[in-house]
Amino acid sequence: MTKLSLQKVSVAFGGLKALEDVTMSVPAGEIRGVIGPNGAGKTTLLNVVTGVNQPDTGDVQLDGASIRGLKTSQIAARGLGRTFQTSKMFKGMTVLENVMTGLHGFLKAEPWTAALNFKRVRDEERDAAAKSRAILDFVGMRQFEDYDASDLSFGQQRVIEIARALIGEPKVLLLDEPAVGLSAVRVDELDRLLRRIRDEKGVTIVMIEHVVQLVMGVCDRITVLNSGRVIAEGGAEDVARHPAVVEAYLGRAIGAAAAAGAGHA
Amino acid sequence: MRLPLPRRAVLAAAVIGFAVLPPAGANPYFIYIANLGLVYVLLAIGLNMLIGYAGQLAFANAALFGIGAYATGLLRVDHGLPFFLAFPAGVAVATAIGVVIALPALRLRGLYLALASIAFAQFCLWAFVHWERVTYGAGGVRLPRLSFAPLPVSVEVGIYYLTLGLVVLMSWLAWNMLRSRVGRALVALRESEVAASALAIDLTRYKAYAFGVSAMFAGVAGGLFSALLGIVTPETFDLYQVVSHFAMVVVGGIGSLWGAIIGAALLVGLQEVLRAFRELQEIAFGALILFTVLFMPSGLIAFIKRFASGWDEPLRRTEGDR
């Protein structure tokens, strides 16, 4: 069963083709990495999936249904969770309140029912808090539930943001460079957390990532973009050896460095 | 060491304090000032929902306050509606206009929203003065005297208790709203629109809610204000009004329900103390805003929270609060 698929998606900004005929499909239960050099189209791909940009041609499907033309909040309601490169914790809210915000689409309160303190609003709030505590337990951050977002370290904020996305029971969790700015130890923790999310929660994960340690270690498959096109796709080993990847992504820089190194030696 | 001054006890004491003013024989002027303070509490709570919680820097509050006052007053004068029909109708008008101005505001952010909403406030002021066929122009519109018969209370006392009751009711409504998913969605909107929409929060809908709720509070305040004064005049709803609402929210504590209440009570008191010197009022308000922004950016409520326990509230964990 395919959880996320792009079919012949093209996006152009003026004359610049940010994505060209991109086709990829991520089956259920997979951790998929999307990598590529700067300008390869990773951010555009993310924007197309989240509804920030619309594809000029082609289609994007989430859990078998097209999400083309939907607003970001509608796509989120259909089961796309995501995190951001930079911290987007809500300041002023506690960690618990932050995570509870992730349940927004599951709750029913409207200003009038909430204002009148209807029993069903009180009940859903209690359930939401319990559910949020459970997810904080799952990611090992329960002890911080009363902290303000800004009291936490960068790495802790990232984990809370993952919890906040995860509590919405996403079909696909989209992570935008989750390891950026993390120490090696934190990257290992993140690696383990992502595997647990896949194995215990059954969530399909797509991550856009630069940190090679994480991508190569945790991803079941990797899609490589270059100049808006998919140039390779496969397991970590295959991709690393793929000639097009070596040339386009790693090849020239490493080749040049190796050549320079050899020259000195 | 924090004083055991739990919020519940302080609030109960405040409500009882206000409630016993008339039977305790407070003079009519004092009751009028207390009533005015309560009206401003409604204005400050409404504005804080929009600016402090939802983060929409809009200054249309004074205009909506005026619209509530004019709508209530004119429905009584021109259409002969009794106050208890004209008042809810006036609130409905203010709320509807609040939601309508949210539509263009949905596309504006930050400074541009501030400018557009100030333009709206000035336009309303202009309309109150110059749309004479409807608003009776610069001289304002004099309202018939209210009557609370068959209740055995004078008009002043009747309006006073009506206001007090509505302040208690609407503070409770606001508090409930804030501790539900609605409050969280508003704060999410303030902190990051892109992150809010990634959590399935419909930005358009929640901005409209924020504008509508704050307009409703302003409308209720306006209807009560018209009854309290017995006359509605355009210059009441000028830029000074805009600034004073803003000052109440900032001084009390932006993004804090209790802060808004404290700010309104304090500033109405200050305004009355300085009643004889109008220029001094404006300088004092300006100085107070400046002082708060520089030295107490989380407002008086942060100060209170530091010295008294039991004042925690949802959606507010700022540095100054601990």
Side-chain angles (χ1 to χ4, degrees):
Chain A
M1 171 83 197
T2 301
K3 285 291 164 181
L4 180 72
S5 73
L6 283 76
Q7 286 140 20
K8 291 185 163 296
V9 168
S10 296
V11 179
F13 301 111
L16 177 75
K17 288 174 179 161
L19 291 179
E20 223 181 326
D21 265 348
V22 168
T23 296
M24 64 182 273
S25 87
V26 184
E30 186 174 295
I31 299 181
R32 171 70 60 98
V34 177
I35 62 171
N38 284 329
K42 300 189 298 293
T43 302
T44 308
L45 185 138
L46 189 129
N47 285 343
V48 164
V49 172
T50 55
V52 175
N53 293 139
Q54 290 303 324
D56 298 327
T57 58
D59 194 21
V60 184
Q61 297 193 340
L62 179 65
D63 203 24
S66 176
I67 52 170
R68 214 186 140 169
L70 295 182
K71 285 199 290 189
T72 305
S73 58
Q74 294 169 322
I75 296 172
R78 284 170 191 226
L80 184 79
R82 73 167 291 194
T83 64
F84 300 87
Q85 267 184 48
T86 53
S87 172
K88 293 261 195 290
M89 289 283 283
F90 303 131
K91 288 192 210 69
M93 285 191 199
T94 62
V95 164
L96 183 68
E97 285 167 341
N98 259 284
V99 175
M100 284 170 78
T101 311
L103 277 171
H104 184 88
F106 288 82
L107 305 181
K108 299 278 183 293
E110 290 294 336
W112 44 94
T113 58
L116 295 168
N117 204 22
F118 281 12
K119 184 169 181 303
R120 62 183 143 96
V121 176
R122 294 200 304 270
D123 289 347
E124 77 172 20
E125 279 297 299
R126 207 178 37 242
D127 294 347
K131 244 177 145 176
S132 301
R133 292 197 171 99
I135 210 88
L136 283 171
D137 269 331
F138 178 78
V139 300
M141 299 290 279
R142 174 74 189 277
Q143 67 270 37
F144 298 112
E145 69 169 63
D146 277 330
Y147 282 51
D148 182 82
S150 47
D151 295 336
L152 299 182
S153 74
F154 191 73
Q156 290 169 324
Q157 293 189 27
R158 175 132 299 156
V159 174
I160 300 295
E161 284 188 71
I162 290 175
R164 188 174 73 184
L166 197 58
I167 200 170
E169 293 171 22
K171 301 195 167 78
V172 174
L173 183 60
L174 189 60
L175 308 172
D176 189 4
E177 303 202 10
V180 79
L182 299 189
S183 65
V185 177
R186 289 288 186 190
V187 171
D188 279 346
E189 286 172 12
L190 184 63
D191 183 311
R192 281 197 295 279
L193 177 60
L194 296 181
R195 288 172 200 273
R196 285 179 55 223
I197 290 171
R198 177 193 58 192
D199 300 339
E200 294 172 34
K201 300 282 178 189
V203 175
T204 305
I205 299 174
V206 176
M207 70 164 129
I208 287 171
E209 188 50 79
H210 276 304
V211 177
V212 176
Q213 179 199 351
L214 184 67
V215 179
M216 294 300 176
V218 77
C219 293
D220 300 308
R221 283 171 78 79
I222 295 170
T223 301
V224 187
L225 289 176
N226 190 32
S227 306
R229 288 173 170 279
V230 176
I231 57 167
E233 194 173 289
E237 306 274 298
D238 303 337
V239 162
R241 276 200 300 265
H242 197 289
V245 178
V246 174
E247 192 201 315
Y249 186 58
L250 306 164
R252 256 171 271 160
I254 291 174
H264 283 292
Chain B
M1 177 61 196
R2 296 200 294 179
L3 297 172
L5 262 181
R7 183 176 62 217
R8 221 175 258 270
V10 171
L11 290 176
V15 171
I16 292 169
F18 271 99
V20 298
L21 276 184
N27 72 45
Y29 174 71
F30 198 75
I31 289 184
Y32 166 78
I33 299 306
N35 201 338
L36 199 62
L38 292 170
V39 168
Y40 276 95
V41 165
L42 292 174
L43 288 164
I45 291 175
L47 185 63
N48 211 355
M49 299 276 264
L50 185 63
I51 290 187
Y53 287 94
Q56 305 297 306
L57 194 55
F59 295 94
N61 215 48
L64 293 163
F65 180 40
I67 288 168
Y70 267 103
T72 304
L74 292 171
L75 284 169
R76 291 173 65 200
V77 171
D78 292 340
H79 300 279
L81 287 186
F83 175 75
F84 288 99
L85 286 180
F87 180 34
V91 173
V93 170
T95 308
I97 291 178
V99 173
V100 169
I101 61 167
L103 298 179
L106 294 175
R107 303 184 148 273
L108 300 174
R109 244 171 258 178
L111 200 53
Y112 297 97
L113 176 59
L115 285 172
S117 57
I118 287 177
F120 172 76
Q122 286 302 101
F123 166 77
C124 286
L125 183 57
W126 184 89
F128 295 154
V129 175
H130 296 285
W131 196 15
E132 292 185 8
R133 263 188 315 146
V134 174
T135 65
Y136 295 88
V141 49
R142 196 164 282 284
L143 307 177
R145 221 173 135 70
L146 266 180
S147 160
F148 282 87
L151 294 176
V153 291
S154 70
V155 184
E156 289 73 19
V157 172
I159 294 169
Y160 180 78
Y161 280 122
L162 177 63
T163 311
L164 181 60
L166 282 170
V167 165
V168 172
L169 173 70
M170 292 184 74
S171 305
W172 181 72
L173 297 179
W175 172 252
N176 288 337
M177 221 183 285
L178 290 172
R179 59 184 184 167
S180 74
R181 77 159 185 170
V182 178
R184 290 191 295 271
L186 295 181
V187 172
L189 192 67
R190 174 188 80 197
E191 290 298 319
S192 166
E193 294 196 358
V194 53
S197 58
L199 298 177
I201 294 168
D202 186 338
L203 302 180
T204 309
R205 174 185 285 252
Y206 277 87
K207 280 188 191 178
Y209 282 164
F211 275 91
V213 168
S214 87
M216 190 183 87
F217 275 77
V220 172
L224 291 167
F225 190 67
S226 75
L228 177 64
L229 264 61
I231 183 168
V232 184
T233 53
E235 76 270 17
T236 321
F237 310 106
D238 60 5
L239 213 54
Y240 176 69
Q241 187 74 245
V242 175
V243 174
S244 56
H245 298 181
F246 187 64
M248 288 166 188
V249 169
V250 171
V251 171
I254 211 158
S256 164
L257 180 65
W258 312 118
I261 295 176
I262 293 163
L266 182 81
L267 264 69
V268 168
L270 184 68
Q271 181 170 274
E272 284 317 310
V273 171
L274 300 175
R275 174 59 72 193
F277 327 93
R278 167 109 191 182
E279 301 80 9
L280 218 57
Q281 274 180 12
E282 301 192 14
I283 293 170
F285 274 36
L288 207 54
I289 295 182
L290 201 62
F291 177 82
T292 312
V293 168
L294 287 177
F295 301 110
M296 215 170 40
S298 303
L300 272 175
I301 188 69
F303 188 73
I304 290 172
K305 283 178 182 173
R306 201 172 309 151
F307 292 104
S309 52
W311 285 80
D312 291 339
E313 55 188 322
L315 311 176
R316 189 177 159 90
R317 276 298 159 93
T318 54
E319 204 55 50
D321 285 1
R322 271 172 291 124

